[in-house]
Amino acid sequence: MATSTTSAPVVTSARGAAGTAAGLLVLRVVTGVIMIVHGWQKFFVDGIDGVSAFFAAMGIPAAGFGAAAVATIELAGGLLLIAGLGTRVVGALFAAAMIGAIVFVHGANGFLATGGGYEFVLLLAGVGVTLALTGGGRYAVDALIKR
């Protein structure tokens, strides 16, 4: 007796596609705002020298470069994410930065953010991976360029 290895076709409705696109827009905008605020803080509140000193104290290699890179990824990447431009690349960069934050800063503090743990950073890493895999959706500049 032969068995079929094909799966049933996935049916997506216009409403489902619009909901997915709207959900990705909300995810991009909210994440973009969060990342902009963190990048802004690194550039204009703590300063790159202050962030670099913090990174060095945490044992992060190439702390000066890392501080400038992370601040730029957060600030510029947040703006790009809101627009939906380069979404997959920005998502991957956010995920990488957040994984670094878990490894070097938050991981030893346990899970809960109230104790300096990694729960919020893990969420941001997951969002980054999700956006790297899905792209920005229908309501993104990336989609306009693709058309």
Side-chain angles (χ1 to χ4, degrees):
M1 182 164 150
T3 58
S4 173
T5 58
T6 60
S7 60
V10 176
V11 178
T12 57
S13 67
R15 178 192 284 170
T20 298
L24 286 169
L25 174 64
V26 170
L27 185 64
R28 285 191 353 257
V29 170
V30 170
T31 305
V33 168
I34 290 168
M35 298 310 276
I36 288 167
V37 170
H38 284 266
W40 184 272
Q41 179 183 10
K42 285 176 179 67
F43 273 117
F44 304 110
V45 177
D46 301 332
I48 296 301
D49 289 340
V51 176
S52 178
F54 173 74
F55 280 15
M58 299 305 296
I60 297 173
F65 172 78
V70 169
T72 301
I73 289 167
E74 290 175 346
L75 184 60
L79 292 167
L80 289 169
L81 198 63
I82 289 171
L85 183 60
T87 304
R88 290 179 189 272
V89 172
V90 171
L93 290 171
F94 281 172
M98 294 304 102
I99 290 168
I102 292 169
V103 169
F104 289 106
V105 180
H106 299 279
N109 298 327
F111 182 74
L112 296 177
T114 54
Y118 61 89
E119 75 176 308
F120 181 63
V121 182
L122 179 62
L123 177 64
L124 290 174
V127 169
V129 169
T130 299
L131 291 170
L133 294 172
T134 64
R138 180 189 310 172
Y139 306 127
V141 172
D142 290 335
L144 292 174
I145 292 170
K146 191 174 180 180
R147 288 185 216 143

